[in-house]
Amino acid sequence: MFLDDLIIVKHQGKQFIKDLTKASLPEIFRGIPQISDKAINAQELIDFCPTAAILLNKNKLAIDLGKCAFCGDCQMQFPNKITFTNQYKMATNNRDSLMVYQGESKEIKVEASLIRKEIQSIFNRSLKLRQVSAGGDNGNELELGACGNVNFDMGRYGIEFTASPRHADGIVVTGPITENMVEALQIAFEAVPEPRLFILVGVDAISGGIFAESTALKRDFLNKVHIDLYVPGNPIHPLTFINGILELTRKKYRR
Amino acid sequence: MKAQNQYIKLKNGSPILTADIPVLSYNDFRVQTIKLLLDFDKAHCSNYFAIPKGIGFQLIVIIAADVNHDFLVFSHQLLSIETALESLTQDHFAFHIFEREIHENFNIQFLNHPWLKPVRFAHNRADQSKQIANYPFYHFDSTEMHEVSVGPIHAGIIEPGHFKFSCHGETVKHLEIQLGWQHRGIETLMLHKKTDLQRTLLAESITADSAIAHTLAFVTAMESLSQIKVDANLNLERTIALELERLAIHTGDLCGMCTDVAYQLGSSVFNALRTPIINFTQRWCGNRFGKGLIRIGGTHYPLKEGLKSDLILVLNEFESRFVEMAEKTFNIPSVIKRFDGIGIISKINVGLLGCVGMVAKTVGYKRDIRLSHPFGYYKTVEFEPKTCISGDVMARGFLRYQEALQSIQLIKTMLELHKSELVSSKPDYKVVLNPNSICVSATEGWRGEIIHTALTDQNGQLEWYKIKDPSMHNWKALELSLRNIEISDFPINNKSYDLSYSGHDL
Ligand code: SF4
């Protein structure tokens, strides 16, 4: 009996990704986009985007990755104007840096100067997070779950999800924050001992995404908290999340 | 004659004029509904909803005739909200959730409904004084019973729901599940959004674990209302994506079930096995859940030759590892002990509740849209659903194993039929819909039947959009499965159903 277990283990082979900071994703993956200088009808492009993520700023087009649902349709409809790269490292603590402007090859990272001091000293060896889904569509939830699986194995860094907010060092929010969930979210957040992190995962959490104007949401809670990390994606890729957390809490991973 | 045939037959994804839906007196409506649903093997209620019409409401029922590929549709025009209606639930329990929904949204009164409680505390509910924090839970007035409340936030990375167990010692006597926490107002947004791409993104976000199945139902409705014909090759690609979704989620659920019974090897292996499947989907369309792949009228991501050979390799490699692990899992005593005979839902209860998809199939009903109301590729083949009979955790696990193998076979067959050299059209971002029409579009997601019903007004604008996730029917089955079993068996039961919160709450 024990022998069949060993055979199964052998057949499965090694599944884990050795270096999560250097792993690469297929080219088709939609990470940070680039906007070329090609002449197009800007208004048409702006109107085309389903989540109003594309805007015109001083005659230059920009994509707000906090609003972008990464549908990729703009790059198909306006080829050579917008090109998504497979750069998945795009988590940041600076909401403004999620703006990608025309003509730039953007690097998005956690900015050291914006990290609260206590974060680095307390959470740099072990970090326990409590996830709260507030209207999430189960995509980000599944990807956060995948962060701990045998492929990504986030646990190797001492980073894990925990059941009780009392045992947690921070809250990870998915979903656009529904009116029906906002109270539970607030209670969970307050139950986390200080200092505590607050992390928004996925386009829905960051901006409301495709639900932004829905009257079923209640997002004013966000005005009352300090947001430590924005993780763009729809859903996020595990590598985006893990690298973002590492950059936030550990100096040696910072770019 | 007339009394016998007061419905219109609709095929999956074929529109008709809304005016052609027969309007019956409530008494005839009720009698006919009950009569059509007498034989659980032959028909079930797929959806029942109200639409504001004139000064009142039109109540539309969609009955799936499971043997002859038809949806039977008929309606009642309710002229005044003051008129209370005898509830259908008292004769056929499957209507309980639909009448609750209609009552919550519009304050239509149903007499003799066992409990007209709120369904999801929708943002536009008729009675805004009802608050999600004050849900009227059933309560035993007993000094021997105690209550255990769980949620809305659960001990894991999952969606929220509030579960209240009424227990006698360790034994659950009653479980009541309160949902609505995930409510985002999707049906309203479907009408308010301006572009087809926005609506497509909404469909993709109903619940990401069924993004393909829901988006397919949506685009089929839009295509049929605008007479867009989809070529056979694109149909194959969409169906391959749908079966890949089933394969990935079933595998992930087997991992979850092993985790919940502390079978570490199964948990790790099934978890790792899900990855190559969703990574293939990512190589195909850039997203592990297939978001971006399904679009109205065409595709941006044709299944090219290289992808096809890639997929065959992935499947072959997957299959041997998967079978080896599944055979081990379903034969190991420590797993059998926790799966076998636990959380039984009886066939009669499944029939009464009108459950669909996996839950129906685990007690032996062949209730599967791929067979009963075929779409796309399934129109061209004889599809035979897998079934079990025991209705317990074991059946829900084993059915996943069998369906996963079936999906692999289906995909391989479809890959042979698919011709990479044929180029499908590009998506259509501005479709013109037929005016005054209704279309019922159904797909079989991995949980069960997904029904999208679209109605247009005289200008061809969407007038109403109704989404039904299979979880709408099936949550009640989980509640009943818990009766008279130990509360410690709740997690494995919940996982074995893996119902959708976001799909239910919308
Ligand atoms: S990929 Fe982002 S920017 Fe482009 S259309 Fe989609 S949501 Fe808008």
Side-chain angles (χ1 to χ4, degrees):
Chain A
M1 181 124 135
F2 185 59
L3 191 66
D4 346 320
D5 287 355
L6 286 179
I7 293 172
I8 291 176
V9 170
K10 182 161 174 283
H11 286 166
Q12 297 304 319
K14 282 206 178 75
Q15 298 296 328
F16 74 101
I17 301 168
K18 262 210 184 105
D19 189 343
L20 293 176
T21 63
K22 295 206 178 72
S24 68
L25 290 179
E27 288 209 341
I28 195 169
F29 174 80
R30 293 184 283 280
I32 300 177
Q34 287 175 353
I35 310 172
S36 76
D37 290 330
K38 182 184 170 190
I40 53 140
N41 180 336
Q43 195 55 45
E44 232 175 68
L45 175 60
I46 291 169
D47 292 342
F48 179 78
C49 175
T51 51
I54 304 180
L55 41 126
L56 204 56
N57 195 317
K58 295 188 198 107
N59 268 335
K60 293 227 169 213
L61 280 162
I63 297 184
D64 179 355
L65 293 187
K67 288 187 175 173
C68 172
F70 295 87
C71 68
D73 289 69
C74 57
Q75 94 173 334
M76 296 296 177
Q77 202 67 354
F78 298 85
N80 303 326
K81 181 66 189 171
I82 294 181
T83 318
F84 277 83
T85 72
N86 61 353
Q87 176 52 271
Y88 57 82
K89 288 186 186 174
M90 49 182 170
T92 179
N93 50 355
N94 179 2
R95 177 69 179 83
D96 293 338
S97 78
L98 289 178
M99 285 294 227
V100 177
Y101 289 95
Q102 184 173 329
E104 73 176 332
S105 197
K106 179 103 182 190
E107 198 182 343
I108 300 176
K109 56 187 179 187
V110 173
E111 291 171 25
S113 60
L114 295 173
I115 302 174
R116 291 185 283 151
K117 263 201 223 86
E118 58 272 31
I119 302 292
Q120 175 143 333
S121 54
I122 297 181
F123 301 136
N124 65 1
R125 307 280 297 270
S126 148
L127 181 68
K128 303 278 178 266
L129 297 166
R130 169 68 242 194
Q131 179 269 351
V132 177
S133 172
D137 70 2
N138 205 20
N140 286 303
E141 291 76 357
L142 284 166
E143 290 299 42
L144 289 174
C147 291
N149 73 12
V150 286
N151 308 103
F152 297 104
D153 186 24
M154 183 172 69
R156 71 180 89 170
Y157 301 107
I159 306 169
E160 275 170 356
F161 285 95
T162 182
S164 169
R166 296 264 187 235
H167 301 160
D169 304 312
I171 293 281
V172 175
V173 181
T174 56
I177 310 187
T178 58
E179 183 176 9
N180 288 350
M181 257 315 274
V182 73
E183 191 187 350
L185 170 61
Q186 188 157 348
I187 293 170
F189 178 67
E190 282 162 8
V192 177
E194 298 201 52
R196 55 197 172 198
L197 294 175
F198 190 80
I199 297 167
L200 296 177
V201 160
V203 59
D204 294 347
I206 298 175
S207 67
I210 191 76
F211 307 107
E213 78 276 15
S214 171
T215 50
L217 307 186
K218 200 165 191 306
R219 293 177 56 79
D220 53 359
F221 168 67
L222 293 180
N223 302 334
K224 291 181 254 167
V225 286
H226 179 275
I227 297 160
D228 294 287
L229 194 65
Y230 301 88
V231 189
N234 181 34
I236 53 123
H237 196 282
L239 289 172
T240 311
F241 180 79
I242 297 170
N243 279 286
I245 295 284
L246 288 175
E247 286 178 36
L248 177 69
T249 54
R250 296 172 202 195
K251 214 172 181 171
K252 76 172 211 211
Y253 293 102
R254 240 162 256 155
R255 287 174 285 152
Chain B
M1 273 309 281
K2 198 169 161 245
Q4 281 179 357
N5 194 11
Q6 296 195 72
Y7 50 73
I8 184 156
K9 289 181 183 173
L10 233 79
K11 291 278 183 250
N12 186 359
S14 328
I16 53 158
L17 290 176
T18 313
D20 289 344
I21 301 175
V23 182
L24 282 66
S25 74
Y26 190 67
N27 197 45
D28 289 352
F29 177 84
R30 188 170 157 227
V31 170
Q32 178 166 294
T33 307
I34 308 299
K35 198 180 83 190
L36 288 171
L37 292 170
L38 278 181
D39 186 343
F40 298 155
D41 280 305
K42 295 219 173 89
H44 69 277
C45 169
S46 270
N47 214 345
Y48 175 41
F49 54 91
I51 301 176
K53 197 113 200 182
I55 48 163
F57 297 91
Q58 187 173 15
L59 297 165
I60 299 179
V61 66
I62 299 170
I63 291 185
D66 292 333
V67 276
N68 56 7
H69 305 187
D70 287 328
F71 287 110
L72 315 179
V73 183
F74 51 101
S75 71
H76 168 67
Q77 177 68 37
L78 179 67
L79 291 175
S80 159
I81 195 92
E82 305 296 326
T83 317
L85 302 170
E86 275 296 332
S87 88
L88 300 169
T89 309
Q90 48 190 324
D91 295 300
H92 196 95
F93 197 72
F95 286 93
H96 78 104
I97 191 76
F98 299 112
E99 290 188 330
R100 282 171 63 183
E101 186 187 41
I102 294 169
H103 175 72
E104 173 173 39
N105 290 347
F106 302 117
N107 206 18
I108 294 172
Q109 299 299 322
F110 293 101
L111 300 171
N112 300 313
H113 187 289
W115 50 17
L116 270 178
K117 300 184 181 192
V119 173
R120 56 172 79 86
F121 294 87
H123 66 115
N124 49 356
R125 61 191 177 275
D127 184 353
Q128 293 284 339
S129 72
K130 292 198 173 127
Q131 292 295 316
I132 196 157
N134 301 321
Y135 178 83
F137 276 105
Y138 186 76
H139 174 72
F140 284 83
D141 205 3
S142 155
T143 49
E144 287 185 21
M145 306 272 292
H146 67 277
E147 287 175 349
V148 180
S149 268
V150 183
I153 303 174
H154 295 263
I157 313 177
I158 60 166
E159 299 176 66
H162 191 175
F163 297 57
K164 190 166 269 181
F165 302 86
S166 299
C167 302
H168 190 240
E170 292 291 299
T171 309
V172 180
K173 288 292 170 192
H174 175 74
L175 162 63
E176 190 171 351
I177 299 171
Q178 177 207 359
L179 299 171
W181 312 91
Q182 299 285 71
H183 176 66
R184 296 149 290 170
I186 292 189
E187 288 177 338
T188 314
L189 289 172
M190 275 285 184
L191 307 182
H192 290 177
K193 291 284 185 190
K194 289 186 195 70
T195 70
D196 291 321
L197 182 57
Q198 289 178 323
R199 284 186 275 269
T200 309
L201 258 63
L202 278 175
E204 286 183 330
S205 306
I206 292 168
T207 174
D209 58 41
S210 305
I212 300 286
H214 269 290
T215 314
L216 191 51
F218 166 77
V219 300
T220 311
M222 294 303 113
E223 286 161 359
S224 73
L225 281 169
S226 55
Q227 283 123 352
I228 295 176
K229 287 263 172 296
V230 173
D231 61 81
N233 229 34
L234 183 57
N235 266 331
L236 283 170
E237 292 181 12
R238 289 173 170 184
T239 317
I240 289 169
L242 182 71
E243 293 303 329
L244 279 171
E245 181 171 84
R246 190 182 324 276
L247 183 57
I249 302 282
H250 277 355
T251 308
D253 278 342
L254 287 173
C255 154
M257 291 176 69
C258 288
T259 311
D260 278 356
V261 299
Y263 181 42
Q264 181 59 38
L265 184 65
S267 164
S268 304
V269 170
F270 286 125
N271 208 342
L273 278 169
R274 175 177 158 261
T275 309
I277 304 294
I278 59 176
N279 279 355
F280 171 79
T281 304
Q282 178 175 262
R283 288 198 291 282
W284 183 3
C285 71
N287 186 291
R288 304 217 295 172
F289 292 78
K291 287 187 175 182
L293 185 60
I294 310 289
R295 289 290 180 266
I296 301 170
T299 181
H300 287 307
Y301 304 99
L303 194 57
K304 298 208 183 96
E305 205 46 57
L307 280 168
K308 280 168 70 174
S309 44
D310 178 358
L311 178 54
I312 290 170
L313 283 179
V314 167
L315 289 177
N316 286 342
E317 159 87 354
F318 173 93
E319 194 172 4
S320 61
R321 285 164 58 196
F322 178 75
V323 169
E324 182 181 54
M325 192 65 249
E327 285 299 320
K328 174 89 189 184
T329 304
F330 290 106
N331 284 300
I332 193 168
S334 57
V335 171
I336 296 173
K337 178 84 178 71
R338 297 290 318 277
F339 283 13
D340 220 12
I342 303 293
I344 297 173
I345 178 89
S346 66
K347 187 165 184 181
I348 180 73
N349 278 343
V350 168
L352 288 170
L353 290 173
C355 294
V356 297
M358 284 198 66
V359 177
K361 286 181 272 185
T362 53
V363 296
Y365 288 115
K366 287 186 185 170
R367 214 170 262 178
D368 189 313
I369 292 292
R370 291 173 290 177
L371 166 70
S372 62
H373 301 79
F375 53 98
Y377 164 72
Y378 301 108
K379 281 187 187 158
T380 61
V381 285
E382 296 269 312
F383 175 82
E384 185 64 18
K386 300 282 175 197
T387 54
C388 294
I389 48 170
S390 54
D392 53 0
V393 171
M394 180 59 98
R396 293 187 282 278
F398 198 72
L399 185 69
R400 285 187 167 88
Y401 171 30
Q402 296 304 306
E403 286 202 336
L405 292 182
Q406 190 180 31
S407 292
I408 296 173
Q409 286 320 313
L410 283 165
I411 295 168
K412 285 183 176 170
T413 314
M414 287 188 275
L415 282 173
E416 276 170 28
L417 296 170
H418 180 272
K419 298 189 181 64
S420 314
E421 65 281 5
L422 297 180
V423 188
S424 295
S425 39
K426 292 273 177 241
D428 189 337
Y429 290 107
K430 265 202 183 84
V431 293
V432 181
L433 306 181
N434 295 354
N436 300 317
S437 302
I438 177 172
C439 174
V440 177
S441 168
T443 60
E444 185 76 13
W446 61 270
R447 283 192 186 93
E449 70 175 43
I450 285 170
I451 310 266
H452 285 212
T453 310
L455 283 95
T456 55
D457 64 13
Q458 70 263 34
N459 303 318
Q461 298 294 317
L462 274 184
E463 181 186 29
W464 206 253
Y465 200 85
K466 194 81 204 130
I467 299 159
K468 192 218 63 190
D469 188 88
S471 308
M472 206 51 191
H473 307 268
N474 290 354
W475 274 109
K476 200 87 206 152
L478 170 61
E479 291 182 356
L480 293 190
S481 289
L482 258 285
R483 290 206 175 160
N484 294 315
I485 69 170
E486 280 186 32
I487 191 166
S488 54
D489 280 329
F490 170 69
I492 180 60
N493 259 288
N494 190 22
K495 189 73 226 177
S496 74
Y497 279 96
D498 195 15
L499 299 171
S500 178
Y501 302 78
S502 45
H504 174 281
D505 294 346
L506 297 174

